């Protein structure tokens, strides 16, 4: 009995030691590929969050390998397990708009007039995120701007591929716009808003609704470091911030492919730019080009990228990346001209920075009023960390105050 007990203890000790070594090895590997520039706001905190995210992902992978659950499921569980309870300023209710789950935040303070409504689409690379992960953010927006906020729990990839997330956000928005009177919202004052992948979805929904005559026009769109194109992963911001947490260049392309078709086989081709034929890239070069990025954003070491052609096999697999509902930067001018007033937030240390800058230029070139706020010390994901206890970032709070 004593021998068996000793062997069990030894086995557990070896297992735990191996587990720790695996996690530490993954952290060291990720560290060797990461960089936190000196201009980032509160770099030590960012490094700590990065370690937590890597550790969670590695544990998820281990659990997947031993057959307990998928790595994606574990990360989603860890992200969404915090509950905040009752809010003294808000009525909060979970509902369904058609077949789409939503969480509604309504201010308790009485209003003499109809309120504005905000459709909020969370970020997370179309793979992660939920109303729970963006609960604090939505509560803050609702209470501070005295708006009715609707957080949409759209279907996630790779289980639900494009256009599932886009369709859920579109259907939920249309349902809300057709029923604003139930929530005390002015039908002429509905805004779409989202961060990262949610910014992509907000832009796509806004474009789809721009030409609808059977609905009121959207009042505005708020795009928080949105990902808006998949033609060029070698723009200046992708080169400069390729290893800056919380979104690496490779991860941005990987998540996009998970959303597109759940297949990352051609990740390298997408990263190097050999996934779209040259003639198509040249056709879109008037909108997606480093030439449209102000020179001051190229000083941190940008090198022009050679245009590469692609094989028919690769293009056939990823050709839907040219659809505006997936990549809104590629919409025709006739659509862009009809878009509502826009707010775009970008961060200097973010691979998606230039997507926002290119869209800002497109909107302005087409006569759309744009309010642009740039966080010089910000990084991707900073807004959602505005109130994360001791891991809060002042730049995130600054950005969020401007959004409100």
């Amino acid at each position: 009995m004593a021998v068996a007990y000793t062997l069990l203890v030894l086995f557990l000790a070896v297992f735990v030691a191996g587990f720790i070594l695996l996690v530490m090895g993954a952290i060291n590997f990720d560290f060797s590929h990461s960089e936190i520039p000196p201009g980032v706001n509160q770099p030590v905190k960012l490094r700590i969050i990065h370690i937590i995210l890597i550790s969670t992902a590695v544990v998820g992978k281990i659990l997947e390998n031993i057959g307990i659950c998928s790595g994606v499921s574990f990360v989603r569980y860890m992200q969404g397990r915090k509950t905040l309870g009752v809010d003294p300023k808000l009525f909060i209710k979970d509902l369904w708009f058609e077949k789409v789950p939503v969480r509604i935040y309504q201010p308790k303070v009485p209003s003499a007039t109809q309120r504005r409504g905000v459709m909020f689409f969370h970020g997370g690379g179309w793979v992660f995120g939920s109303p729970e992960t963006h609960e604090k953010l939505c509560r803050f927006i609702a209470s501070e701007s005295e708006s009715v906020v609707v957080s949409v729990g759209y279907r996630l990839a790779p289980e639900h591929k494009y256009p599932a997330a886009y369709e859920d956000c579109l259907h939920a928005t249309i349902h809300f716009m057709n029923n604003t009177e139930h929530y005390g919202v002015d039908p002429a004052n509905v805004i779409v808003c989202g961060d990262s992948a949610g910014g992509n979805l907000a832009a796509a929904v806004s474009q789809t609704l721009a030409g609808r005559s059977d609905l009121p026009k959207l009042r505005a769109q708020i795009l928080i470091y949105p990902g808006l194109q998949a033609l060029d992963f070698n723009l200046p911001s992708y080169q400069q911030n390729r290893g800056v947490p919380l979104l690496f260049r490779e991860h941005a392309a990987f998540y996009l492919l998970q959303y597109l078709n759940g297949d990352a086989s051609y990740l390298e081709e997408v990263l190097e730019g050999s996934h779209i034929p040259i003639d198509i890239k040249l056709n879109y070069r008037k909108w997606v080009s480093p030439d449209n990025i102000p020179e001051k954003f190229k000083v941190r070491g940008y090198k022009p990228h050679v245009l590469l052609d692609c094989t028919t096999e690769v293009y056939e697999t990823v050709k839907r990346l040219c659809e505006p509902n997936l990549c809104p930067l590629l919409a025709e001018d006739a659509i862009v001209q009809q878009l509502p007033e826009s707010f775009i937030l970008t961060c200097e240390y973010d691979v998606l920075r230039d997507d926002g800058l290119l869209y800002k230029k497109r909107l302005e070139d087409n006569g759309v009023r744009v309010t642009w706020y740039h966080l010089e010390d910000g990084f991707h994901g900073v807004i959602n960390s505005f109130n994360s206890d001791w891991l809060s970032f002042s730049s995130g709070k600054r950005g969020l105050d401007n959004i409100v």
Side-chain angles (χ1 to χ4, degrees):
M1 190 72 176
V3 173
Y5 178 75
T6 303
L7 287 172
L8 178 63
V9 170
L10 280 171
F11 171 78
L12 288 173
V14 170
F15 177 80
V16 171
F19 184 82
I20 292 171
L21 285 171
L22 271 172
V23 173
M24 292 306 296
I27 290 173
N28 287 331
F29 175 81
D30 223 63
F31 265 24
S32 68
H33 289 74
S34 69
E35 173 207 0
I36 296 187
V40 165
N41 176 242
Q42 296 164 289
V44 174
K45 287 185 180 181
L46 178 55
R47 183 62 84 188
I48 292 170
I49 291 180
H50 189 208
I51 292 172
I52 293 170
L53 291 177
I54 300 167
S55 304
T56 304
V58 172
V59 172
K61 199 66 184 170
I62 293 170
L63 294 175
E64 183 175 301
N65 289 338
I66 60 180
I68 293 178
C69 67
S70 74
V72 168
S73 298
F74 178 73
V75 173
R76 288 175 185 166
Y77 167 75
M78 293 300 292
Q79 286 181 341
R81 63 195 174 88
K82 259 191 178 179
T83 52
L84 299 180
V86 174
D87 190 302
K89 296 181 180 179
L90 301 170
F91 295 111
I92 302 173
K93 193 171 185 179
D94 289 336
L95 296 172
W96 291 81
F97 283 0
E98 310 296 340
K99 296 180 179 179
V100 183
V102 299
R103 180 167 296 166
I104 299 185
Y105 305 84
Q106 292 179 275
K108 290 181 178 178
V109 61
S111 175
T113 59
Q114 291 179 309
R115 299 187 188 276
R116 75 175 61 80
V118 180
M119 296 297 301
F120 185 86
F121 313 132
H122 66 78
W126 303 279
V127 174
F128 302 107
S130 66
E132 285 74 26
T133 61
H134 288 63
E135 176 90 3
K136 284 184 180 179
L137 184 57
C138 288
R139 288 189 181 201
F140 186 86
I141 293 172
S143 59
E144 293 300 312
S145 69
E146 294 189 4
S147 303
V148 174
V149 175
V150 180
S151 182
V152 181
Y154 58 85
R155 288 170 291 171
L156 299 176
E159 302 96 320
H160 304 283
K161 300 170 182 59
Y162 170 76
Y166 156 74
E167 288 178 342
D168 284 356
C169 293
L170 177 63
H171 294 157
T173 302
I174 292 172
H175 178 92
F176 183 67
M177 294 177 81
N178 282 326
N179 294 276
T180 51
E181 70 276 7
H182 297 317
Y183 308 100
V185 168
D186 178 357
N189 203 0
V190 175
I191 296 163
V192 290
C193 174
D195 66 314
S196 192
N200 167 282
L201 295 166
V205 167
S206 187
Q207 289 181 1
T208 302
L209 296 177
R212 292 279 294 258
S213 58
D214 58 326
L215 292 168
K217 280 185 68 72
L218 286 172
R219 172 64 184 85
Q221 59 176 348
I222 298 173
L223 312 179
I224 306 167
Y225 34 74
L228 300 169
Q229 61 85 33
L231 263 63
D232 192 350
F233 283 85
N234 290 283
L235 291 168
S237 62
Y238 272 109
Q239 292 187 22
Q240 296 160 347
N241 304 313
R242 62 189 305 140
V244 178
L246 300 168
L247 182 65
F248 287 8
R249 173 173 172 263
E250 288 79 5
H251 295 166
F254 176 79
Y255 292 142
L256 184 76
L257 291 172
Q258 291 298 295
Y259 178 40
L260 173 67
N261 54 24
D263 181 5
S265 303
Y266 295 118
L267 178 63
E268 285 307 314
E269 286 82 356
V270 170
L271 288 169
E272 70 181 12
S274 61
H275 62 304
I276 304 290
I278 285 182
D279 60 329
I280 295 178
K281 278 188 279 196
L282 289 174
N283 182 51
Y284 287 120
R285 202 164 176 80
K286 59 185 180 289
W287 300 330
V288 184
S289 169
D291 295 340
N292 294 337
I293 304 294
E295 289 302 315
K296 67 178 182 178
F297 292 103
K298 300 176 187 175
V299 295
R300 282 195 295 119
Y302 164 66
K303 293 181 180 177
H305 187 69
V306 178
L307 280 180
L308 301 174
D309 213 341
C310 79
T311 65
T312 303
E313 178 189 356
V314 174
Y315 179 58
E316 283 299 315
T317 306
V318 303
K319 64 183 179 183
R320 297 192 79 183
L321 291 176
C322 294
E323 294 182 10
N325 287 341
L326 182 55
C327 295
L329 191 56
L330 307 185
E332 293 297 325
D333 284 342
I335 297 293
V336 177
Q337 288 163 8
Q338 300 179 66
L339 291 174
E341 184 176 353
S342 305
F343 178 100
I344 297 176
L345 182 140
T346 54
C347 293
E348 178 60 30
Y349 302 106
D350 177 9
V351 291
L352 299 184
R353 180 197 70 201
D354 292 350
D355 283 27
L357 294 178
L358 290 173
Y359 204 47
K360 170 182 178 287
K361 183 179 188 310
R362 283 220 62 201
L363 291 165
E364 290 174 338
D365 287 349
N366 282 279
V368 178
R369 183 182 170 192
V370 179
T371 300
W372 172 54
Y373 190 72
H374 184 63
L375 290 171
E376 295 280 359
D377 55 353
F379 55 88
H380 192 82
V382 71
I383 296 297
N384 212 29
S385 304
F386 80 100
N387 188 23
S388 301
D389 304 319
W390 60 280
L391 286 177
S392 295
F393 290 83
S394 58
S395 57
K397 181 62 165 59
R398 212 163 58 240
L400 187 55
D401 285 342
N402 270 271
I403 290 165
V404 168

PDB file of all heavy atoms in Angstrom, residues 28 55 106 116 157 180 234 267 269 281-282 305 319 324 334 346 389 404:
ATOM      1  N   ASN A  28       7.763  30.812 -23.043  1.00  0.00           N
ATOM      2  CA  ASN A  28       9.065  31.246 -23.535  1.00  0.00           C
ATOM      3  C   ASN A  28       9.073  31.360 -25.054  1.00  0.00           C
ATOM      4  O   ASN A  28       9.640  32.289 -25.626  1.00  0.00           O
ATOM      5  CB  ASN A  28      10.164  30.276 -23.081  1.00  0.00           C
ATOM      6  CG  ASN A  28      10.469  30.413 -21.602  1.00  0.00           C
ATOM      7  OD1 ASN A  28      10.300  31.484 -21.041  1.00  0.00           O
ATOM      8  ND2 ASN A  28      10.915  29.339 -20.967  1.00  0.00           N
ATOM      9  N   SER A  55      -0.933  31.094 -21.098  1.00  0.00           N
ATOM     10  CA  SER A  55      -1.120  29.976 -20.173  1.00  0.00           C
ATOM     11  C   SER A  55      -2.488  29.328 -20.357  1.00  0.00           C
ATOM     12  O   SER A  55      -2.614  28.098 -20.371  1.00  0.00           O
ATOM     13  CB  SER A  55      -0.958  30.457 -18.724  1.00  0.00           C
ATOM     14  OG  SER A  55       0.282  31.070 -18.533  1.00  0.00           O
ATOM     15  N   GLN A 106     -30.666  48.664 -20.050  1.00  0.00           N
ATOM     16  CA  GLN A 106     -31.512  49.861 -20.090  1.00  0.00           C
ATOM     17  C   GLN A 106     -31.303  50.690 -18.827  1.00  0.00           C
ATOM     18  O   GLN A 106     -31.422  50.163 -17.708  1.00  0.00           O
ATOM     19  CB  GLN A 106     -32.992  49.478 -20.195  1.00  0.00           C
ATOM     20  CG  GLN A 106     -33.366  48.837 -21.518  1.00  0.00           C
ATOM     21  CD  GLN A 106     -34.843  48.448 -21.556  1.00  0.00           C
ATOM     22  OE1 GLN A 106     -35.229  47.375 -21.090  1.00  0.00           O
ATOM     23  NE2 GLN A 106     -35.681  49.327 -22.099  1.00  0.00           N
ATOM     24  N   ARG A 116     -31.214  56.956 -27.215  1.00  0.00           N
ATOM     25  CA  ARG A 116     -30.519  56.356 -28.344  1.00  0.00           C
ATOM     26  C   ARG A 116     -30.350  54.865 -28.069  1.00  0.00           C
ATOM     27  O   ARG A 116     -30.305  54.440 -26.908  1.00  0.00           O
ATOM     28  CB  ARG A 116     -29.166  57.024 -28.595  1.00  0.00           C
ATOM     29  CG  ARG A 116     -28.082  56.643 -27.610  1.00  0.00           C
ATOM     30  CD  ARG A 116     -26.746  57.247 -27.992  1.00  0.00           C
ATOM     31  NE  ARG A 116     -26.780  58.700 -28.011  1.00  0.00           N
ATOM     32  CZ  ARG A 116     -26.686  59.468 -26.928  1.00  0.00           C
ATOM     33  NH1 ARG A 116     -26.595  58.916 -25.723  1.00  0.00           N
ATOM     34  NH2 ARG A 116     -26.703  60.775 -27.029  1.00  0.00           N
ATOM     35  N   ALA A 157     -17.134  31.081 -34.864  1.00  0.00           N
ATOM     36  CA  ALA A 157     -16.356  30.171 -35.703  1.00  0.00           C
ATOM     37  C   ALA A 157     -15.413  29.356 -34.790  1.00  0.00           C
ATOM     38  O   ALA A 157     -15.149  29.768 -33.664  1.00  0.00           O
ATOM     39  CB  ALA A 157     -15.550  30.978 -36.717  1.00  0.00           C
ATOM     40  N   THR A 180     -38.125  49.382 -31.806  1.00  0.00           N
ATOM     41  CA  THR A 180     -37.496  50.339 -30.881  1.00  0.00           C
ATOM     42  C   THR A 180     -38.471  50.885 -29.844  1.00  0.00           C
ATOM     43  O   THR A 180     -38.071  51.197 -28.713  1.00  0.00           O
ATOM     44  CB  THR A 180     -36.881  51.518 -31.667  1.00  0.00           C
ATOM     45  OG1 THR A 180     -37.880  52.038 -32.562  1.00  0.00           O
ATOM     46  CG2 THR A 180     -35.664  51.085 -32.438  1.00  0.00           C
ATOM     47  N   ASN A 234       0.636  42.875 -45.094  1.00  0.00           N
ATOM     48  CA  ASN A 234       1.976  43.460 -45.052  1.00  0.00           C
ATOM     49  C   ASN A 234       1.935  44.979 -45.069  1.00  0.00           C
ATOM     50  O   ASN A 234       2.924  45.627 -45.412  1.00  0.00           O
ATOM     51  CB  ASN A 234       2.804  42.930 -46.227  1.00  0.00           C
ATOM     52  CG  ASN A 234       3.137  41.464 -46.061  1.00  0.00           C
ATOM     53  OD1 ASN A 234       4.023  41.102 -45.294  1.00  0.00           O
ATOM     54  ND2 ASN A 234       2.406  40.609 -46.757  1.00  0.00           N
ATOM     55  N   LEU A 267      -2.623  29.543 -44.549  1.00  0.00           N
ATOM     56  CA  LEU A 267      -2.240  30.669 -43.693  1.00  0.00           C
ATOM     57  C   LEU A 267      -1.000  31.381 -44.223  1.00  0.00           C
ATOM     58  O   LEU A 267      -0.965  32.615 -44.292  1.00  0.00           O
ATOM     59  CB  LEU A 267      -1.993  30.182 -42.261  1.00  0.00           C
ATOM     60  CG  LEU A 267      -1.535  31.241 -41.245  1.00  0.00           C
ATOM     61  CD1 LEU A 267      -2.611  32.300 -41.066  1.00  0.00           C
ATOM     62  CD2 LEU A 267      -1.200  30.595 -39.906  1.00  0.00           C
ATOM     63  N   GLU A 269       0.197  31.487 -47.270  1.00  0.00           N
ATOM     64  CA  GLU A 269      -0.110  32.207 -48.501  1.00  0.00           C
ATOM     65  C   GLU A 269      -0.827  33.539 -48.206  1.00  0.00           C
ATOM     66  O   GLU A 269      -0.544  34.563 -48.844  1.00  0.00           O
ATOM     67  CB  GLU A 269      -0.984  31.348 -49.427  1.00  0.00           C
ATOM     68  CG  GLU A 269      -0.245  30.215 -50.119  1.00  0.00           C
ATOM     69  CD  GLU A 269      -0.078  28.980 -49.233  1.00  0.00           C
ATOM     70  OE1 GLU A 269      -0.466  29.038 -48.044  1.00  0.00           O
ATOM     71  OE2 GLU A 269       0.428  27.962 -49.718  1.00  0.00           O
ATOM     72  N   LYS A 281      -5.898  42.266 -56.886  1.00  0.00           N
ATOM     73  CA  LYS A 281      -5.243  43.150 -55.921  1.00  0.00           C
ATOM     74  C   LYS A 281      -5.030  44.553 -56.511  1.00  0.00           C
ATOM     75  O   LYS A 281      -5.232  45.563 -55.837  1.00  0.00           O
ATOM     76  CB  LYS A 281      -3.908  42.550 -55.466  1.00  0.00           C
ATOM     77  CG  LYS A 281      -4.058  41.513 -54.367  1.00  0.00           C
ATOM     78  CD  LYS A 281      -2.735  41.074 -53.788  1.00  0.00           C
ATOM     79  CE  LYS A 281      -2.070  40.044 -54.663  1.00  0.00           C
ATOM     80  NZ  LYS A 281      -0.988  39.322 -53.982  1.00  0.00           N
ATOM     81  N   LEU A 282      -4.630  44.590 -57.780  1.00  0.00           N
ATOM     82  CA  LEU A 282      -4.428  45.890 -58.435  1.00  0.00           C
ATOM     83  C   LEU A 282      -5.743  46.646 -58.568  1.00  0.00           C
ATOM     84  O   LEU A 282      -5.778  47.884 -58.465  1.00  0.00           O
ATOM     85  CB  LEU A 282      -3.781  45.686 -59.804  1.00  0.00           C
ATOM     86  CG  LEU A 282      -2.310  45.243 -59.790  1.00  0.00           C
ATOM     87  CD1 LEU A 282      -1.822  44.926 -61.199  1.00  0.00           C
ATOM     88  CD2 LEU A 282      -1.432  46.306 -59.143  1.00  0.00           C
ATOM     89  N   HIS A 305       6.214  45.833 -49.885  1.00  0.00           N
ATOM     90  CA  HIS A 305       6.106  44.393 -50.125  1.00  0.00           C
ATOM     91  C   HIS A 305       5.872  44.130 -51.612  1.00  0.00           C
ATOM     92  O   HIS A 305       5.073  44.806 -52.259  1.00  0.00           O
ATOM     93  CB  HIS A 305       4.938  43.824 -49.299  1.00  0.00           C
ATOM     94  CG  HIS A 305       4.835  42.345 -49.346  1.00  0.00           C
ATOM     95  ND1 HIS A 305       5.767  41.513 -48.744  1.00  0.00           N
ATOM     96  CD2 HIS A 305       3.925  41.523 -49.924  1.00  0.00           C
ATOM     97  CE1 HIS A 305       5.416  40.259 -48.936  1.00  0.00           C
ATOM     98  NE2 HIS A 305       4.313  40.230 -49.660  1.00  0.00           N
ATOM     99  N   LYS A 319     -11.546  32.915 -51.969  1.00  0.00           N
ATOM    100  CA  LYS A 319     -12.010  34.040 -52.794  1.00  0.00           C
ATOM    101  C   LYS A 319     -13.110  34.869 -52.134  1.00  0.00           C
ATOM    102  O   LYS A 319     -13.290  36.042 -52.460  1.00  0.00           O
ATOM    103  CB  LYS A 319     -12.465  33.555 -54.166  1.00  0.00           C
ATOM    104  CG  LYS A 319     -13.659  32.629 -54.169  1.00  0.00           C
ATOM    105  CD  LYS A 319     -13.956  32.166 -55.596  1.00  0.00           C
ATOM    106  CE  LYS A 319     -15.134  31.213 -55.647  1.00  0.00           C
ATOM    107  NZ  LYS A 319     -15.370  30.725 -57.040  1.00  0.00           N
ATOM    108  N   PRO A 324     -17.499  42.260 -49.572  1.00  0.00           N
ATOM    109  CA  PRO A 324     -17.578  43.355 -48.597  1.00  0.00           C
ATOM    110  C   PRO A 324     -18.230  42.966 -47.266  1.00  0.00           C
ATOM    111  O   PRO A 324     -17.903  43.568 -46.233  1.00  0.00           O
ATOM    112  CB  PRO A 324     -18.408  44.416 -49.321  1.00  0.00           C
ATOM    113  CG  PRO A 324     -18.171  44.141 -50.763  1.00  0.00           C
ATOM    114  CD  PRO A 324     -18.069  42.639 -50.873  1.00  0.00           C
ATOM    115  N   ALA A 334     -20.540  53.666 -54.166  1.00  0.00           N
ATOM    116  CA  ALA A 334     -21.981  53.957 -54.090  1.00  0.00           C
ATOM    117  C   ALA A 334     -22.552  53.554 -52.738  1.00  0.00           C
ATOM    118  O   ALA A 334     -23.495  54.182 -52.243  1.00  0.00           O
ATOM    119  CB  ALA A 334     -22.718  53.227 -55.209  1.00  0.00           C
ATOM    120  N   THR A 346      -8.351  53.955 -33.412  1.00  0.00           N
ATOM    121  CA  THR A 346      -7.197  53.127 -33.763  1.00  0.00           C
ATOM    122  C   THR A 346      -6.159  53.205 -32.658  1.00  0.00           C
ATOM    123  O   THR A 346      -6.139  54.158 -31.867  1.00  0.00           O
ATOM    124  CB  THR A 346      -6.562  53.596 -35.091  1.00  0.00           C
ATOM    125  OG1 THR A 346      -6.262  54.999 -35.004  1.00  0.00           O
ATOM    126  CG2 THR A 346      -7.491  53.351 -36.271  1.00  0.00           C
ATOM    127  N   ASP A 389      -9.817  45.791 -12.820  1.00  0.00           N
ATOM    128  CA  ASP A 389      -9.200  45.836 -11.493  1.00  0.00           C
ATOM    129  C   ASP A 389      -7.767  46.356 -11.594  1.00  0.00           C
ATOM    130  O   ASP A 389      -7.542  47.409 -12.155  1.00  0.00           O
ATOM    131  CB  ASP A 389      -9.274  44.452 -10.829  1.00  0.00           C
ATOM    132  CG  ASP A 389     -10.712  43.944 -10.763  1.00  0.00           C
ATOM    133  OD1 ASP A 389     -11.601  44.764 -10.462  1.00  0.00           O
ATOM    134  OD2 ASP A 389     -10.953  42.751 -11.050  1.00  0.00           O
ATOM    135  N   VAL A 404     -17.879  57.254 -25.522  1.00  0.00           N
ATOM    136  CA  VAL A 404     -19.102  57.686 -24.826  1.00  0.00           C
ATOM    137  C   VAL A 404     -19.444  59.127 -25.212  1.00  0.00           C
ATOM    138  O   VAL A 404     -20.607  59.424 -25.483  1.00  0.00           O
ATOM    139  CB  VAL A 404     -18.921  57.562 -23.295  1.00  0.00           C
ATOM    140  CG1 VAL A 404     -20.040  58.279 -22.574  1.00  0.00           C
ATOM    141  CG2 VAL A 404     -18.908  56.090 -22.889  1.00  0.00           C
TER     142      VAL A 404
END
